[in-house]
Structures are given as structure tokens and as C-alpha cells.
Amino acid sequence: MANSSTGETVVLRDNKSLEALEWSLAKLRRAFKFSIVILSLLVFWEIAPRVGLVNVTFFPPLTEVLQAWWQLFISGDLAEHMTASLLRSGGGFLLAIVISIPLGLAIGWWKPVAEYLNPLLELMRNTAVLALLPVFILLLGLGETSKIAIVLYACSFPLLLNTVSGVKNVDPLLIKSARSMGLTSVRLFYKVILPASLPTIFVGIRQAGASSILVLVAAEMVGAQSGLGYFIQYAQFNFQIPGMYAGIITISFIGVVVNYLLVALEKRLTSWKQTYNE
Amino acid sequence: MTAKISIQHVQKSFRIKRNLGHLAENTQPISALQDINLDVKQGEFMVIVGPSGCGKSTLLDLLAGLTKPNSGQILLDNKPLAGPNLDRGIVFQQYALFPWKTTLQNVEFGLEAKGVGKKERREIAQQHIELVGLAGFENRFPHELSGGMKQRVAIARSLAYDPEVLLMDEPFAALDAQTRETLQSELLRIWEATKKTIIFITHGIEEAVYLGQRVAVMTSRPGRIKKVITIPFEARTSEEDLRAKPEFVQLRHEIWDLLKDEVSRAQEQEKTKTLKSFSNGKSTLKGVAGDG
């Protein structure tokens, strides 16, 4: 009897450790899937210049770029340009949120207004923002104002259009149901329209976040004395190629972080939504 | 006999604008309801049954106060209705739950609109969640619930703010047959427990006979009340299967006889409407081609 019972416990323990092993294996597989392509690309970046597949001068190996990045980081140059860029795109982005979301809510709520304004919004959205950059510089000069203004402009359209369509596409049955409970228009707006359109508004916020960085970098390349866009352009002109790549890496890193933060915020605020990708 | 709700000579028509051009027949008003008269007593379970498109839902919108009749009036406790109010609760076929609110928050919604304090609100909501048999699901979101559960939440939400009359617009039509039957007997139990006046709209004859104390049969469009039939069963929630009784079968047959012609007429209307809009569509297409 005693023997058999100890045998059972051994088997149980085995099962447990087996499960733990399987679990960590699954985790490992996921991490592998997640990173393998990027890792191979980075390895290729390192090897290709070294074996002479591409010109080392124009395409230095990854380790050299990372060294340059570290130097820039230590000297404080990178931080300076990064702060300049983040203040501009963050400022424009936040201003756009403060202006465009309330405006979009109002436009979506008063349907006739939306019908009149929609063609104009579509036209402006489909005009490449950077084509307007010279106009902004002419009107607002080379200083901070023109940079923030163009980011504000670029962020406004995804925010506006998504907010308008979010409000317009609220399930009419929910509105009917709330109205049947005698809600006033103001309460209906706060209690039903706003929460129901939040997921669509967030699509706009994410698009705006992405374009705030995109547009800013281009703007800084054209006319600026600081910022990551300026730095990349400057490094290229002065033939500091590893430094240029360091700037590019920094920008893509910022883009990924911003997107991640916005997705996390979105998940928090719209946790009630069904997730289909599981 | 005092009527809780009295519908008097109610008539309602729509002007439907279709984007098919300038054809005169499209802008003519369509009469949805014609001279509806119906009295519903305090605590009565009244079922309104009719073919699809006969204006049942229009009638319910009128009762809810969401729209106004073109002529005639609806009285609640001898006073004409003035817009939507919490003295009437509505349960919709598609549940109409707020997807960003949990079961508890959904049930609390009407109470909040009524101005009930936070603590009391929670207590009342909890009671009603238990009444519809959803204890333990308070913190679930609608998308985590089955269709039958969602409809239970919707019923709890409408009952929680204690309306005088409960209006139900084909509430079980979207559910599978077994869930429907369970919810039907649950609804009878809730009705007996709360003694609410219920106006229940359906196209299901069996559902009408099973639930209603009286069944009002409507005609096809323009909707009128063809006949009101009294269902003489007592104690519906008893053990025996009501649906197997010969009286049940006979009543079902009687209502089907009343409805049969209306259903075929409604289907005929539907057909000609579809054909017309199709030929209109074709003519506009031709017009475009001619222009080009």
C-alpha cells in the first residue's frame, strides 16, 4: 500500500513538472515567433556590410551604428534632439485631441453639419499634408509654431473623421432604448453617444499618433535647427552615416513605444469590447 | 372596468422618402396604423399578434411615446401620453443592452435616470438580477452572455425602475426554440410576481396563446385590430403542459384562421413593393446610361 501511494505522488509530481515544461515551451515558441524575423534582419544587417554585400560606408554594420548611438546618448545630443521632437509632436498631437474630438462630436451629433462639412474634410484629408508644409513655413516662419501647427493639422483629420463616424454610427437601437427611458439630450450624449463612439475615436487617436511623428520628422528635415528629423538630415550631410542610422533607429523606437502606449490605453478604456483575435 | 392603457382611434402614417428619384408614388404617405382601439386593464397580460409589416412595432413606438399618432390618442391612467417616460418600460427584440456596461450597470441605468441614490440603486438592481435568475453574472459584459441571458438582463433593466406598464417588442423572436420556451414560462412567473401590466407584441401564434390573457389580432397594412380573443386559461405556470390541451390547440387554430388571409396579403404587399422598387431601380439606371 505504502509503495503504491508513493508511486502515485511521484507520477503526480511528474505530471506537474511536465505541464510546467509544456507551458514554458509554449511561451518560448511564442517568443520565437515574435522575434525571429527581426532578429534575422538584424543579423543580416551586421553581416552584409562585413562580407561586402553592401558598401560599408553607406551601410555600416549594426554594431557600429549601436556604438554611434551610445556615443550620442552619452554626449546628450540625442536627448536634446529627442526632447525637441517629442515636445513638438506631443504638443501638436494633444492640441489636436483637445480641438478635434469635441469638434468631431459636435459635427457628428448635428447631422446636417456633417453632411455639409464631410466633402471638405475628405478633400483636406486626402491632400498630402507635406504638400502644405511650405505654406505653413511661409505663414508661420521657421520656428516652433509652424512645426506644432503642421502636426496639429496632420493629426486633426484622422481624429475628426473617426470621431464624426463614431458618433454617426452609434447603434440607433441604443439611442432609442435610452430615449425610451426619458433621458434628456445632454444625458443621452454623455451616457450613450460618447461611450459608444469611444472605440472608433480611438482608431483616430492611434492614426493621429502615428502621423504626428511621421509629419514632424519630415518637417524637421526641411526647416529646423533641432529635432530628430533635423539630426538625421544633418548627419547625412556631414557624412556621419552611423549617426544617421542611430537617429533612424531612435525614431522607429519612439514610434513603436507611442503605438504600444496608445494600444494599452485603448485596451484599458474599451475593455468591454469583444476581442476577436483570440 | 377601468383601463390602464386606452388606445383610442389611433392613426399613424409615414412619409417615406426613397432615393429613387421624383416618382410621385414614393412620396405618398404610407398608412401604417388605421383606427386602432384597444383597452388594456390594470395587471393584464395583453398580446398583440399580426403578420410582419403590419405596424406592430409602430404601435409599440407610439405606446412608448417615441412617436406621436397623427390622430387619436393614447391614455395612461386616463391621461394622454406626453413623450417617453419611466412609467413605461420597453424590452426590444435585439436586447439593446449597453455593451460597455456590466449586467449590474445595465440594470442600474434606468434607476440612475430616475435619480435613485447609489446604494439603493445597487440593491434594487441586485434584486431584479436575482428575479430574472442571473445571480452570479452581475459583473459580466453583454458580449459574455448568451442571447437568452441578454434578454433576461434587458427584462431586469426594464423592471428595475418599476414602470406601470411593460412593453415588449417580439422579445423572444431572436432566441432558439428551447430558450424561448424557458423564457416564456419565466416571464409568466415574473408577471405573476410583479403584477405588472404587460403589452407583448409577437408574430408567434403559439406564443400569443400561451402568454396572453387576451390576444389582439391585427390585420396586414394598414394595421387595424381585427379581433380580440380572450384566452380562458388560469394558472399558466402549473405543471401540466398547457400547449398539449385541446383548448390550446383550438385557440391556436382560431387565431391562425384570423391571421391566414392577413399573412398572405402582407406577403403579397411585400412582393409588389420589392418588384416596384426593382423596376424603379432599373429605370434610374437607364436614365444614367442615357445621360452618359
Side-chain angles (χ1 to χ4, degrees), chain A residues 174 176-177 179 191 195-196 272, chain B residues 61 84 97 100 112 143 157:
Chain A
L174 293 183
K176 193 174 171 182
S177 166
R179 273 189 57 214
K191 293 279 169 190
W272 49 270
Chain B
D61 281 359
L97 298 177
W100 57 89
E112 209 183 324
H143 76 83
R157 178 176 65 180

Side-chain angles (χ1 to χ4, degrees), chain A residues 23 43 50-51 55 86 89-90 104 110 114 125 131 175 191-192 195-196 203 217 237 241 246 274 277:
Chain A
W23 188 73
V43 169
R50 288 197 189 282
V51 299
N55 191 332
L86 284 178
S89 55
W110 286 294
R125 184 181 70 147
I175 298 175
K191 293 279 169 190
V192 181
V203 174
V217 168
F237 283 151
I241 302 302
Q274 196 161 6
N277 45 359

